[in-house]
């Protein structure tokens, strides 16, 4: 499973990219607002750090304007994936931008039918929002499983990009189901390596090693 980082914070992207775990980045208008940066400038900086797809979202709501915005965003770098909302205008823009050779990420997906439409419109990525479904008492992961089954039934090549990930468990379950990508907030990525038994085991090894009086180097 590929890991995208769900942030527009340059320092966090740089830090995680150094671990080799960053296959791409996703941003959205809320994340741009939180970063307090100008969209074109910060997106260009992200594309210079990360080779994989970098999602940048349009903010127009009519298809023609979405296409114009998407074309401008795609000109930032060859690894831009234009993000469009899951509306009929978004689907029209998805088809036009895909036909023009751009990667497109259809976002704000909350149903299997929406994912089916996005795949038929040629989306490169579909972004089902797990956490926001959990927030309203539904099972976000069931949507990931439904989309996996539908895409496999018809050999759609659209990649399932599990989004709105809030916990390390979300990452593991999305991987078990077979999501192609998870876009993960930096704080959750950092927690993926943690386990109390790892810490406990390492402490015990180091304590025993100290008793031997040995050194591997010198
Ligand atoms: O990639 C979409 C994601 O940022 C939404 O996450 O936590 O705002 O629901 P959240």
């Amino acid at each position: 499973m590929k890991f995208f980082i769900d942030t527009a914070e340059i320092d966090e992207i740089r830090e995680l990219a150094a671990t080799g775990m960053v296959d791409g980045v996703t941003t959205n208008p809320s994340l741009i607002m939180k970063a307090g940066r100008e969209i074109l400038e910060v997106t260009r900086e992200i594309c210079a750090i990360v080779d994989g797809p970098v999602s940048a979202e349009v903010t127009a709501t009519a298809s023609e304007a979405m296409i114009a915005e998407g074309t401008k965003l795609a000109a930032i770098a060859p690894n831009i994936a234009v993000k469009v909302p899951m509306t009929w205008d978004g689907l029209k823009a998805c088809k036009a931008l895909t036909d023009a050779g751009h990667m497109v990420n259809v976002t704000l997906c909350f149903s299997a039918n929406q994912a089916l439409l996005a795949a038929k419109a040629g989306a490169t990525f579909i972004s089902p929002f797990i956490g926001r479904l959990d927030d309203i008492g539904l099972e976000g992961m069931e949507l990931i499983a439904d989309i996996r089954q539908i895409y496999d039934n018809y050999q759609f090549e659209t990649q399932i990009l599990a989004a709105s990930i809030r916990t390390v468990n979300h990452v593991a379950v999305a991987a078990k189901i077979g999501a192609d990508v998870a876009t993960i907030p930096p704080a959750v990525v950092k927690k993926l390596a943690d386990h109390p038994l790892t810490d406990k085991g390492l402490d015990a090894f180091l304590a025993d090693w100290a008793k031997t009086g040995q050194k591997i180097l010198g």
Side-chain angles (χ1 to χ4, degrees), residues 6 26 28 31 83 107 129 131-132 135 163-166 183:
D6 201 25
T26 51
N28 62 39
L31 293 172
K83 216 172 180 186
T107 189
F129 276 32
R132 292 192 195 185
D135 288 345
S164 187
I165 281 187
R166 308 270 174 77
T183 188

Side-chain angles (χ1 to χ4, degrees), residues 57 83-87 91 105-119 123 125-134 138-141 143-144 146-148 150-151 158-164:
E57 187 159 343
K83 216 172 180 186
V84 301
M86 186 35 251
T87 59
L91 291 170
N105 177 356
V106 175
T107 189
L108 291 165
C109 170
F110 294 95
S111 79
N113 281 333
Q114 289 180 325
L116 184 53
L117 291 175
F125 302 103
I126 183 68
S127 290
F129 276 32
I130 298 166
R132 292 192 195 185
L133 284 168
D134 291 353
L138 298 175
E139 273 296 330
M141 281 302 165
L143 177 58
I144 303 290
D146 288 347
I147 299 171
R148 180 73 282 154
I150 290 166
Y151 283 8
T158 299
Q159 296 180 51
I160 302 172
L161 197 172
S164 187

Side-chain angles (χ1 to χ4, degrees), residues 23-161:
D23 301 305
V25 170
T26 51
T27 66
N28 62 39
S30 301
L31 293 172
I32 296 288
M33 184 272 293
K34 276 187 204 150
R37 296 288 311 276
E38 196 274 324
I39 183 169
L40 299 179
E41 185 186 69
V42 73
T43 306
R44 192 171 298 113
E45 285 178 30
I46 296 169
C47 289
I49 298 168
V50 175
D51 292 334
V54 174
S55 288
E57 187 159 343
V58 302
T59 55
T61 53
S63 60
E64 287 307 316
M66 282 186 197
I67 294 163
E69 287 186 358
T71 303
K72 182 166 179 177
L73 291 170
I76 293 172
N79 55 328
I80 287 287
V82 180
K83 216 172 180 186
V84 301
M86 186 35 251
T87 59
W88 283 111
D89 279 280
L91 291 170
K92 274 171 76 178
C94 173
K95 175 157 177 36
L97 289 163
T98 301
D99 287 349
H102 303 304
M103 290 187 283
V104 177
N105 177 356
V106 175
T107 189
L108 291 165
C109 170
F110 294 95
S111 79
N113 281 333
Q114 289 180 325
L116 184 53
L117 291 175
K120 288 175 72 66
T124 316
F125 302 103
I126 183 68
S127 290
F129 276 32
I130 298 166
R132 292 192 195 185
L133 284 168
D134 291 353
D135 288 345
I136 60 164
L138 298 175
E139 273 296 330
M141 281 302 165
E142 283 179 10
L143 177 58
I144 303 290
D146 288 347
I147 299 171
R148 180 73 282 154
Q149 185 180 349
I150 290 166
Y151 283 8
D152 288 349
N153 282 349
Y154 298 99
Q155 287 88 47
F156 283 121
E157 288 179 6
T158 299
Q159 296 180 51
I160 302 172
L161 197 172

